[in-house]
Coordinates of all heavy atoms in Angstrom, one line a residue:
M1117 N -8.6 5.4 -14.9 CA -8.3 6.8 -14.9 C -7.0 7.0 -14.2 O -6.5 6.4 -13.3 CB -9.4 7.4 -13.9 CG -9.1 8.8 -13.4 SD -10.4 9.3 -12.3 CE -9.8 8.8 -10.8
I1118 N -6.2 8.0 -14.8 CA -4.9 8.3 -14.2 C -5.2 9.3 -13.1 O -5.8 10.3 -13.1 CB -4.1 9.1 -15.4 CG1 -3.7 8.1 -16.6 CG2 -2.8 9.5 -14.8 CD1 -2.9 7.0 -16.1
V1119 N -4.6 8.9 -12.0 CA -4.7 9.6 -10.8 C -3.5 10.6 -10.6 O -3.6 11.8 -10.3 CB -4.7 8.7 -9.6 CG1 -4.6 9.5 -8.2 CG2 -6.0 7.9 -9.5
C1120 N -2.2 10.1 -10.8 CA -1.1 10.9 -10.7 C -0.5 11.0 -12.1 O 0.1 10.1 -12.7 CB -0.1 10.1 -9.9 SG 1.5 10.9 -9.7
V1121 N -0.6 12.2 -12.7 CA -0.1 12.4 -14.0 C 1.4 12.4 -14.1 O 2.0 12.0 -15.0 CB -0.7 13.8 -14.5 CG1 -0.1 14.2 -15.9 CG2 -2.2 13.8 -14.6
C1122 N 2.0 12.9 -13.1 CA 3.5 13.1 -13.0 C 4.1 11.7 -13.1 O 5.2 11.5 -13.8 CB 3.9 13.8 -11.8 SG 3.5 15.4 -11.6
N1123 N 3.5 10.7 -12.5 CA 4.1 9.4 -12.5 C 3.2 8.4 -13.3 O 3.6 7.1 -13.1 CB 4.3 8.9 -11.0 CG 5.4 9.8 -10.3 OD1 6.5 9.9 -10.8 ND2 4.9 10.6 -9.3
R1124 N 2.1 8.9 -13.9 CA 1.3 7.9 -14.7 C 0.9 6.7 -13.9 O 1.0 5.5 -14.2 CB 2.1 7.5 -16.0 CG 1.1 6.9 -17.0 CD 1.6 6.8 -18.3 NE 0.9 6.0 -19.2 CZ -0.2 6.5 -19.8 NH1 -0.7 7.6 -19.5 NH2 -0.9 5.7 -20.6
V1125 N 0.2 7.1 -12.7 CA -0.4 6.1 -11.9 C -1.8 6.1 -12.0 O -2.4 7.1 -11.7 CB 0.1 6.2 -10.4 CG1 -0.5 5.2 -9.6 CG2 1.6 6.2 -10.3
S1126 N -2.5 5.0 -12.3 CA -3.9 4.9 -12.4 C -4.6 4.5 -11.2 O -3.9 3.9 -10.2 CB -4.3 3.9 -13.5 OG -4.0 2.6 -13.1
D1127 N -5.9 4.7 -11.1 CA -6.6 4.2 -10.0 C -6.6 2.7 -9.9 O -6.6 2.1 -8.9 CB -8.2 4.6 -10.0 CG -8.8 4.3 -11.3 OD1 -8.1 3.9 -12.3 OD2 -10.0 4.4 -11.3
R1128 N -6.4 1.9 -11.0 CA -6.3 0.5 -11.1 C -5.0 0.0 -10.4 O -4.9 -0.9 -9.7 CB -6.4 -0.1 -12.4 CG -7.7 0.0 -12.9 CD -7.8 -0.6 -14.4 NE -9.2 -0.6 -14.8 CZ -9.6 -1.4 -16.0 NH1 -8.8 -2.0 -16.6 NH2 -10.9 -1.3 -16.3
D1129 N -3.9 0.8 -10.7 CA -2.6 0.5 -10.0 C -2.8 0.6 -8.5 O -2.2 -0.2 -7.9 CB -1.6 1.4 -10.6 CG -1.3 1.4 -12.0 OD1 -1.3 0.3 -12.6 OD2 -0.9 2.5 -12.5
I1130 N -3.4 1.7 -8.1 CA -3.5 1.9 -6.6 C -4.5 0.7 -6.1 O -4.1 0.3 -5.0 CB -4.1 3.3 -6.4 CG1 -3.1 4.2 -6.8 CG2 -4.5 3.4 -4.9 CD1 -3.6 5.8 -6.8
A1131 N -5.5 0.4 -6.7 CA -6.4 -0.5 -6.2 C -5.8 -1.9 -6.1 O -6.0 -2.6 -5.1 CB -7.7 -0.6 -7.1
R1132 N -4.9 -2.2 -7.0 CA -4.2 -3.5 -7.0 C -3.3 -3.6 -5.9 O -3.2 -4.6 -5.2 CB -3.5 -3.6 -8.2 CG -2.8 -4.9 -8.6 CD -2.2 -5.3 -9.9 NE -2.1 -4.1 -10.8 CZ -1.0 -3.4 -10.9 NH1 0.1 -3.6 -10.2 NH2 -1.0 -2.3 -11.8
H1133 N -2.7 -2.5 -5.5 CA -1.7 -2.4 -4.3 C -2.4 -2.5 -3.1 O -2.0 -3.1 -2.1 CB -0.8 -1.2 -4.3 CG 0.3 -1.4 -5.3 ND1 0.2 -1.4 -6.8 CD2 1.6 -1.6 -5.1 CE1 1.3 -1.6 -7.3 NE2 2.3 -1.8 -6.3
V1134 N -3.6 -1.8 -3.0 CA -4.4 -1.9 -1.7 C -4.9 -3.4 -1.5 O -4.9 -3.9 -0.4 CB -5.6 -1.0 -1.9 CG1 -6.6 -1.2 -0.7 CG2 -5.2 0.5 -1.9
R1135 N -5.3 -4.0 -2.6 CA -5.8 -5.4 -2.5 C -4.7 -6.3 -2.0 O -4.9 -7.3 -1.4 CB -6.3 -5.9 -3.8 CG -7.7 -5.5 -4.1 CD -8.4 -6.2 -5.2 NE -7.7 -6.0 -6.5 CZ -7.9 -5.2 -7.3 NH1 -8.8 -4.3 -7.1 NH2 -7.2 -5.1 -8.5
A1136 N -3.3 -5.9 -2.3 CA -2.2 -6.7 -1.9 C -1.8 -6.4 -0.4 O -0.9 -6.8 0.1 CB -1.0 -6.4 -2.8
G1137 N -2.5 -5.4 0.2 CA -2.3 -5.0 1.5 C -1.5 -3.7 1.8 O -1.1 -3.5 2.9
Y1138 N -1.1 -3.2 0.8 CA -0.4 -1.8 0.9 C -1.3 -0.7 1.4 O -2.4 -0.5 1.0 CB 0.2 -1.4 -0.4 CG 1.2 -2.3 -1.0 CD1 1.1 -3.6 -1.3 CD2 2.5 -1.7 -1.3 CE1 2.2 -4.4 -1.8 CE2 3.5 -2.5 -1.9 CZ 3.4 -3.7 -2.1 OH 4.4 -4.5 -2.6
G1139 N -0.6 0.1 2.2 CA -1.3 1.3 2.7 C -0.7 2.5 1.8 O 0.1 2.4 0.8
F1140 N -1.2 3.8 2.1 CA -0.9 4.9 1.1 C 0.6 5.1 1.1 O 1.2 5.3 0.0 CB -1.6 6.2 1.7 CG -1.3 7.3 0.8 CD1 -1.8 7.6 -0.5 CD2 -0.3 8.3 1.2 CE1 -1.5 8.6 -1.2 CE2 0.1 9.3 0.4 CZ -0.5 9.5 -0.9
D1141 N 1.2 5.1 2.3 CA 2.7 5.4 2.5 C 3.5 4.3 1.6 O 4.4 4.6 0.8 CB 3.3 5.4 3.8 CG 2.7 6.5 4.6 OD1 2.2 7.5 3.9 OD2 2.7 6.5 5.8
D1142 N 3.0 3.0 1.7 CA 3.7 2.0 0.8 C 3.5 2.1 -0.7 O 4.4 2.0 -1.5 CB 3.2 0.6 1.3 CG 3.3 0.4 2.6 OD1 4.3 0.7 3.2 OD2 2.4 -0.2 3.3
I1143 N 2.3 2.6 -1.0 CA 2.0 2.8 -2.4 C 2.8 4.0 -2.9 O 3.2 4.0 -4.1 CB 0.5 3.1 -2.6 CG1 -0.3 1.7 -2.3 CG2 0.1 3.5 -4.0 CD1 -1.8 1.8 -2.1
Q1144 N 2.9 5.1 -2.1 CA 3.7 6.2 -2.5 C 5.0 5.8 -2.9 O 5.7 6.2 -3.8 CB 3.5 7.2 -1.4 CG 4.1 8.6 -1.8 CD 3.9 9.6 -0.7 OE1 3.9 9.3 0.4 NE2 3.6 10.9 -1.2
L1145 N 5.6 4.9 -1.9 CA 7.1 4.6 -2.1 C 7.1 3.7 -3.4 O 8.1 3.8 -4.1 CB 7.4 3.8 -0.9 CG 8.8 4.0 -0.4 CD1 8.8 5.0 0.8 CD2 9.5 2.8 0.0
E1146 N 6.2 2.7 -3.5 CA 6.3 1.8 -4.6 C 6.0 2.5 -6.0 O 6.7 2.2 -6.9 CB 5.3 0.7 -4.3 CG 5.4 -0.5 -5.3 CD 6.5 -1.5 -4.9 OE1 7.0 -1.3 -4.0 OE2 6.7 -2.3 -5.8
L1147 N 5.0 3.3 -6.0 CA 4.6 3.8 -7.4 C 5.0 5.3 -7.6 O 4.9 5.8 -8.7 CB 3.0 3.7 -7.6 CG 2.4 2.3 -7.4 CD1 0.9 2.5 -7.4 CD2 3.0 1.4 -8.5
G1148 N 5.4 6.0 -6.6 CA 5.8 7.4 -6.7 C 4.7 8.3 -6.8 O 4.9 9.5 -7.1
V1149 N 3.5 7.8 -6.4 CA 2.3 8.7 -6.5 C 2.4 9.8 -5.5 O 2.9 9.6 -4.4 CB 1.0 7.8 -6.3 CG1 0.9 7.3 -4.8 CG2 -0.3 8.7 -6.6
A1150 N 2.1 11.1 -5.8 CA 2.2 12.3 -5.0 C 3.6 12.6 -4.5 O 3.8 13.1 -3.3 CB 1.2 12.1 -3.8
T1151 N 4.6 12.3 -5.3 CA 5.9 12.5 -4.9 C 6.5 13.7 -5.7 O 7.7 14.0 -5.5 CB 6.8 11.2 -5.0 OG1 6.8 10.8 -6.4 CG2 6.4 10.2 -4.1
Q1152 N 5.8 14.2 -6.7 CA 6.3 15.4 -7.4 C 5.6 16.6 -7.2 O 5.8 17.3 -6.2 CB 6.4 15.0 -8.9 CG 7.4 13.8 -9.1 CD 7.7 13.5 -10.5 OE1 7.4 14.4 -11.4 NE2 8.3 12.4 -10.8
C1153 N 4.6 16.9 -7.9 CA 3.8 18.2 -7.7 C 2.9 18.0 -6.5 O 2.6 19.0 -5.9 CB 3.1 18.5 -9.0 SG 1.5 17.6 -9.2
G1154 N 2.4 16.9 -6.3 CA 1.6 16.6 -5.1 C 0.0 17.0 -5.2 O -0.8 16.7 -4.4
R1155 N -0.3 17.3 -6.5 CA -1.8 17.7 -6.7 C -2.7 16.4 -6.7 O -3.9 16.5 -6.5 CB -1.9 18.3 -8.1 CG -1.3 19.7 -8.1 CD -1.5 20.2 -9.5 NE -0.8 21.5 -9.6 CZ -0.4 22.1 -10.7 NH1 -0.8 21.6 -11.8 NH2 0.3 23.3 -10.6
C1156 N -2.1 15.3 -6.9 CA -2.9 14.0 -6.8 C -3.1 13.4 -5.5 O -3.8 12.4 -5.3 CB -2.2 12.9 -7.7 SG -0.6 12.5 -7.1
E1157 N -2.5 13.9 -4.5 CA -2.4 13.3 -3.2 C -3.8 13.0 -2.6 O -4.1 11.9 -2.1 CB -1.6 14.0 -2.1 CG -1.5 13.2 -0.8 CD -0.6 13.8 0.3 OE1 0.2 14.8 -0.2 OE2 -0.7 13.5 1.4
S1158 N -4.7 14.0 -2.6 CA -6.0 13.8 -2.0 C -6.8 12.8 -2.8 O -7.5 11.9 -2.2 CB -6.8 15.1 -1.9 OG -7.1 15.6 -3.1
C1159 N -6.7 12.8 -4.2 CA -7.5 11.9 -4.9 C -6.9 10.5 -4.7 O -7.7 9.5 -4.5 CB -7.3 12.3 -6.4 SG -8.2 11.2 -7.5
A1160 N -5.6 10.3 -4.6 CA -4.9 9.0 -4.4 C -5.4 8.5 -3.0 O -5.7 7.3 -2.8 CB -3.4 9.2 -4.4
R1161 N -5.3 9.4 -1.9 CA -5.8 8.9 -0.6 C -7.3 8.4 -0.6 O -7.6 7.5 0.0 CB -5.6 10.1 0.3 CG -4.1 10.2 0.7 CD -3.9 11.2 1.8 NE -2.6 11.4 2.2 CZ -1.9 10.7 3.0 NH1 -2.4 9.7 3.6 NH2 -0.6 11.0 3.2
D1162 N -8.1 9.2 -1.4 CA -9.4 8.7 -1.6 C -9.6 7.3 -2.2 O -10.4 6.6 -1.7 CB -10.3 9.8 -2.5 CG -10.6 11.1 -1.7 OD1 -10.3 11.1 -0.5 OD2 -11.0 12.0 -2.3
V1163 N -8.8 7.0 -3.2 CA -8.9 5.7 -3.9 C -8.4 4.7 -2.9 O -9.0 3.7 -2.8 CB -8.0 5.7 -5.1 CG1 -7.8 4.3 -5.7 CG2 -8.5 6.7 -6.2
V1164 N -7.4 4.9 -2.1 CA -6.9 4.0 -1.2 C -8.0 3.8 -0.1 O -8.3 2.7 0.3 CB -5.6 4.5 -0.5 CG1 -5.2 3.6 0.8 CG2 -4.5 4.6 -1.4
A1165 N -8.7 4.8 0.3 CA -9.7 4.7 1.4 C -10.9 4.0 0.8 O -11.3 3.0 1.5 CB -10.1 6.1 1.8
Q1166 N -11.3 4.2 -0.4 CA -12.4 3.5 -1.0 C -12.0 2.0 -1.0 O -12.8 1.0 -0.8 CB -12.7 4.1 -2.2 CG -13.5 5.3 -2.1 CD -13.6 6.0 -3.5 OE1 -13.4 5.4 -4.6 NE2 -14.2 7.2 -3.5
C1167 N -10.9 1.7 -1.6 CA -10.4 0.3 -1.9 C -10.2 -0.4 -0.5 O -10.5 -1.6 -0.4 CB -9.2 0.2 -2.7 SG -9.4 0.8 -4.4
S1168 N -9.8 0.2 0.4 CA -9.5 -0.4 1.8 C -10.8 -0.8 2.4 O -10.9 -1.7 3.1 CB -8.7 0.6 2.7 OG -7.4 0.9 2.1
A1169 N -11.8 0.1 2.2 CA -13.2 -0.2 2.8 C -13.7 -1.4 2.1 O -14.5 -2.1 2.8 CB -14.0 1.1 2.6
S1170 N -13.4 -1.6 0.8 CA -14.1 -2.7 0.2 C -13.3 -4.0 0.2 O -13.7 -4.9 -0.1 CB -14.4 -2.3 -1.3 OG -13.2 -2.0 -1.9
H1171 N -12.0 -3.9 0.6 CA -11.1 -5.1 0.8 C -10.3 -5.0 2.0 O -9.1 -5.1 2.1 CB -10.1 -5.1 -0.5 CG -10.8 -5.3 -1.8 ND1 -11.2 -4.2 -2.6 CD2 -11.1 -6.5 -2.5 CE1 -11.7 -4.7 -3.7 NE2 -11.8 -6.0 -3.6
P1172 N -10.9 -4.9 3.2 CA -10.2 -5.0 4.5 C -9.5 -6.2 4.7 O -8.6 -6.2 5.6 CB -11.3 -4.6 5.4 CG -12.6 -5.2 4.9 CD -12.4 -4.9 3.4
V1173 N -9.9 -7.3 4.2 CA -9.4 -8.6 4.5 C -7.8 -8.7 4.1 O -7.1 -9.2 4.8 CB -10.1 -9.7 4.0 CG1 -9.5 -11.1 4.2 CG2 -11.6 -9.7 4.6
A1174 N -7.6 -8.2 3.0 CA -6.1 -8.2 2.4 C -5.3 -7.5 3.4 O -4.1 -8.1 3.7 CB -6.1 -7.4 1.1
A1175 N -5.5 -6.4 4.0 CA -4.7 -5.8 5.0 C -4.5 -6.6 6.2 O -3.4 -6.7 6.8 CB -5.3 -4.4 5.3
I1176 N -5.6 -7.2 6.7 CA -5.5 -8.1 7.8 C -4.6 -9.3 7.6 O -3.8 -9.7 8.4 CB -7.0 -8.5 8.3 CG1 -7.7 -7.3 8.8 CG2 -6.9 -9.6 9.3 CD1 -9.2 -7.5 9.0
Q1177 N -4.8 -10.0 6.4 CA -4.0 -11.1 6.1 C -2.6 -10.8 6.0 O -1.7 -11.4 6.4 CB -4.5 -11.7 4.7 CG -5.8 -12.4 4.9 CD -6.3 -12.8 3.5 OE1 -5.9 -12.3 2.4 NE2 -7.2 -13.8 3.5
L1178 N -2.2 -9.6 5.4 CA -0.8 -9.1 5.3 C -0.2 -8.9 6.7 O 0.9 -9.4 7.0 CB -0.7 -7.9 4.4 CG 0.8 -7.5 4.3 CD1 1.5 -8.5 3.4 CD2 0.7 -6.1 3.6
A1179 N -1.0 -8.2 7.5 CA -0.5 -7.9 8.8 C -0.3 -9.2 9.7 O 0.8 -9.4 10.4 CB -1.5 -7.1 9.6
S1180 N -1.1 -10.2 9.4 CA -1.0 -11.5 10.2 C 0.3 -12.2 9.7 O 1.0 -12.8 10.5 CB -2.2 -12.4 9.9 OG -3.3 -11.7 10.5
S1181 N 0.4 -12.3 8.4 CA 1.7 -12.9 7.8 C 2.9 -12.2 8.3 O 3.9 -12.9 8.4 CB 1.7 -13.0 6.2 OG 1.7 -11.7 5.7
I1182 N 3.0 -11.0 8.4 CA 4.2 -10.2 8.9 C 4.5 -10.6 10.4 O 5.6 -10.9 10.7 CB 4.0 -8.7 8.7 CG1 4.1 -8.3 7.2 CG2 5.1 -7.9 9.5 CD1 3.6 -6.9 6.9
L1183 N 3.4 -10.6 11.1 CA 3.6 -10.9 12.6 C 4.1 -12.4 12.8 O 4.8 -12.6 13.7 CB 2.3 -10.6 13.4 CG 1.9 -9.2 13.4 CD1 0.5 -9.0 14.0 CD2 2.9 -8.4 14.3
E1184 N 3.6 -13.3 12.0 CA 3.9 -14.6 12.0 C 5.3 -15.0 11.5 O 5.8 -16.1 11.7 CB 2.9 -15.5 11.3 CG 1.5 -15.5 12.1 CD 0.4 -16.1 11.4 OE1 0.7 -16.7 10.3 OE2 -0.7 -16.1 11.9
S1185 N 5.9 -14.2 10.7 CA 7.2 -14.4 10.2 C 8.3 -14.4 11.2 O 8.2 -13.8 12.2 CB 7.5 -13.3 9.0 OG 7.8 -12.2 9.6
R1186 N 9.4 -15.1 10.9 CA 10.4 -15.3 11.9 C 11.2 -14.1 12.1 O 11.8 -13.8 13.2 CB 11.4 -16.4 11.4 CG 10.9 -17.8 11.3 CD 11.9 -18.7 11.0 NE 12.2 -19.3 12.3 CZ 13.3 -20.2 12.5 NH1 14.1 -20.3 11.5 NH2 13.6 -20.6 13.7
A1187 N 11.3 -13.2 11.2 CA 12.0 -12.0 11.4 C 11.4 -11.0 12.4 O 12.1 -10.3 13.1 CB 12.1 -11.2 10.0
W1188 N 10.1 -11.1 12.6 CA 9.5 -10.3 13.6 C 9.2 -11.0 14.9 O 8.6 -10.5 15.7 CB 8.1 -9.8 13.0 CG 8.4 -8.8 11.9 CD1 8.4 -9.2 10.6 CD2 8.7 -7.4 11.9 NE1 8.7 -8.0 9.8 CE2 9.0 -7.0 10.6 CE3 8.8 -6.6 13.0 CZ2 9.2 -5.7 10.4 CZ3 9.2 -5.3 12.8 CH2 9.4 -4.9 11.4
N1189 N 9.5 -12.3 15.0 CA 9.2 -13.1 16.1 C 10.4 -13.0 17.1 O 11.3 -13.7 17.0 CB 8.9 -14.5 15.7 CG 8.3 -15.4 16.9 OD1 8.5 -14.8 18.1 ND2 7.7 -16.4 16.6
S1190 N 10.3 -12.0 18.1 CA 11.5 -11.8 18.9 C 11.6 -12.9 20.0 O 12.7 -13.2 20.3 CB 11.3 -10.5 19.7 OG 10.1 -10.6 20.4
S1191 N 10.5 -13.7 20.3 CA 10.7 -14.8 21.2 C 11.5 -15.9 20.6 O 12.3 -16.5 21.4 CB 9.4 -15.3 21.7 OG 8.6 -15.8 20.7
A1192 N 11.4 -16.2 19.3 CA 12.2 -17.3 18.7 C 13.6 -16.8 18.6 O 14.5 -17.6 18.7 CB 11.6 -17.4 17.1
H1193 N 13.8 -15.5 18.3 CA 15.2 -15.0 18.3 C 15.9 -15.2 19.7 O 17.0 -15.6 19.8 CB 15.2 -13.5 18.0 CG 16.5 -12.8 17.9 ND1 17.5 -13.1 17.1 CD2 17.1 -11.9 18.8 CE1 18.6 -12.4 17.3 NE2 18.3 -11.7 18.4
L1194 N 15.2 -14.9 20.7 CA 15.7 -14.9 22.1 C 15.9 -16.4 22.4 O 16.9 -16.8 23.2 CB 14.8 -14.4 23.1 CG 14.7 -12.8 23.0 CD1 13.6 -12.3 24.0 CD2 16.0 -12.2 23.3
A1195 N 15.0 -17.4 22.1 CA 15.2 -18.8 22.4 C 16.4 -19.4 21.6 O 17.1 -20.2 22.2 CB 13.9 -19.5 21.9
A1196 N 16.8 -18.8 20.5 CA 17.9 -19.3 19.7 C 19.2 -18.9 20.3 O 20.2 -19.5 20.1 CB 17.8 -18.9 18.3
A1197 N 19.1 -17.7 21.1 CA 20.4 -17.2 21.6 C 20.9 -17.9 22.8 O 20.4 -18.6 23.5 CB 20.2 -15.7 21.9
Ligands
LIG2663 S1 0.2 14.4 -10.3 FE1 1.0 13.1 -8.8 S2 2.8 14.0 -8.2 FE2 2.0 15.4 -9.8

């Protein structure tokens, strides 16, 4: 089903991004959903919420990998200085 007609974004596109750990703001930036007329925003947010509820592990895994990366590890940065 097409959720965003202006940018031709489907519920499957949104679900795929949620499974990859994206939140609504990230999906909006990546796919352009709800960036033109805005009529799709509530539907897109509902799809994100439904998919997040059914795939919460993806978001946790992404957050963990971000926190463990060197770019975000300030103690490693300070130790190198
Ligand atoms: S339908 Fe999504 S911005 Fe218009």
Side-chain angles (χ1 to χ4, degrees):
M1117 169 184 84
I1118 295 295
V1119 173
C1120 178
V1121 175
C1122 294
N1123 294 298
R1124 195 167 170 72
V1125 178
S1126 70
D1127 56 345
R1128 287 181 175 194
D1129 296 330
I1130 294 171
R1132 187 167 14 91
H1133 281 73
V1134 170
R1135 283 194 298 272
Y1138 286 61
F1140 179 80
D1141 293 344
D1142 303 320
I1143 292 169
Q1144 191 175 34
L1145 222 99
E1146 187 79 12
L1147 301 177
V1149 67
T1151 58
Q1152 292 189 20
C1153 76
R1155 290 182 187 160
C1156 61
E1157 183 172 349
S1158 66
C1159 181
R1161 285 187 183 277
D1162 286 349
V1163 172
V1164 170
Q1166 287 173 3
C1167 293
S1168 297
S1170 61
H1171 295 91
V1173 175
I1176 292 169
Q1177 287 174 341
L1178 180 67
S1180 297
S1181 66
I1182 289 171
L1183 291 173
E1184 291 169 4
S1185 73
R1186 294 190 96 194
W1188 294 96
N1189 191 344
S1190 60
S1191 61
H1193 174 70
L1194 293 173

